[in-house]
Amino acid sequence: DAMVIQNPRYQVTQFGKPVTLSCSQTLNHNVMYWYQQKSSQAPKLLFHYYDKDFNNEADTPDNFQSRRPNTSFCFLDIRSPGLGDAAMYLCATSRGTTGANVLTFGAGSRLTVL
Amino acid sequence: GQNIDQPTEMTATEGAIVQINCTYQTSGFNGLFWYQQHAGEAPTFLSYNVLDGLEEKGRFSSFLSRSKGYSYLLLKELQMKDSASYLCAAMDSNYQLIWGAGTKLIIKP
């Protein structure tokens, strides 16, 4: 089945210790997104790639970086996690960015910061 | 500013019908989405409306009124597995998704 896979599902890190979350897709979608979602809150878009074009949201902290080495993979790097970065990180993909643009989400990576 | 309003929590009985409302304010409009999210899991797509009216898809229906900036998700014949959060998201003129915080639906036997 075509899908979006995130690893790890659960990540525990220490304050300030870098973390990398990964996302892979077999849908051959052009667009890949990273969202941060805290409990009972709306998903917050951090950035997205349209093919190799990187689009950073204006309010995404510099502490968050992303890489998309090829169509299938995308990584989220958190350089110095703080307690406020504890959240569920959702990767999503879509064919394009306009119209009936349905997002397919991965199962998420839950980050705990000690 | 752009925002989405939806109730924080609703409770309904198994077998009943529930309507989850969503109002939106966006700069331009390119459609409204509903996603279902079970606790600790990823959102999954339910429906997309861009024209006024009701779209029916099995037990779930979604309604849109563009003039009122209003949508609702109607769930019929509720089952225990329908217990989840329901996220409303509107697409603005720049094709950006504006997300609501979700409505947590609790189904009681």
Side-chain angles (χ1 to χ4, degrees), chain A residues 35 37 42 97-98 100 103 105-106, chain B residues 35 37 40 42-43 45 48 95 99-100:
Chain A
Y35 281 90
Q37 188 180 29
T97 55
T98 62
L103 301 185
F105 286 87
Chain B
Y35 283 79
Q37 187 176 26
F45 170 76
Y48 170 73
Y95 300 102
W99 292 86

Side-chain angles (χ1 to χ4, degrees), chain A residues 43-103:
Chain A
K44 179 182 184 300
L45 182 64
L46 297 174
F47 20 60
H48 75 277
Y49 281 91
Y50 197 123
D51 292 329
K52 293 184 178 180
D53 292 335
F54 177 69
N55 298 272
N56 195 32
E57 294 302 298
D59 58 354
T60 298
D62 292 339
N63 196 27
F64 292 86
Q65 303 285 316
S66 184
R67 297 168 281 140
R68 187 178 186 185
N70 55 53
T71 303
S72 301
F73 284 88
C74 197
F75 298 95
L76 171 61
D77 300 307
I78 309 175
R79 293 193 295 190
S80 182
L83 298 179
D85 296 327
M88 175 76 91
Y89 290 88
L90 295 167
C91 174
T93 71
S94 66
R95 291 186 196 281
T97 55
T98 62
N101 184 37
V102 175
L103 301 185

Side-chain angles (χ1 to χ4, degrees), chain B residues 34 47-49 53-57 60-64 71-74:
Chain B
W34 284 96
S47 67
Y48 170 73
N49 295 67
L54 187 68
E55 297 267 349
E56 297 187 70
K57 197 185 288 186
F60 291 10
S61 302
S62 56
F63 172 84
L64 176 68
S71 173
Y72 67 73
L73 182 69
L74 190 71

Side-chain angles (χ1 to χ4, degrees), chain B residues 2 6 13-14 16-17 20 31 58 68 74 79 88:
Chain B
Q2 305 193 101
Q6 52 180 133
T13 304
E14 190 177 15
I17 299 172
I20 302 174
K68 295 181 179 177
L74 190 71
Q79 302 175 9
C88 174

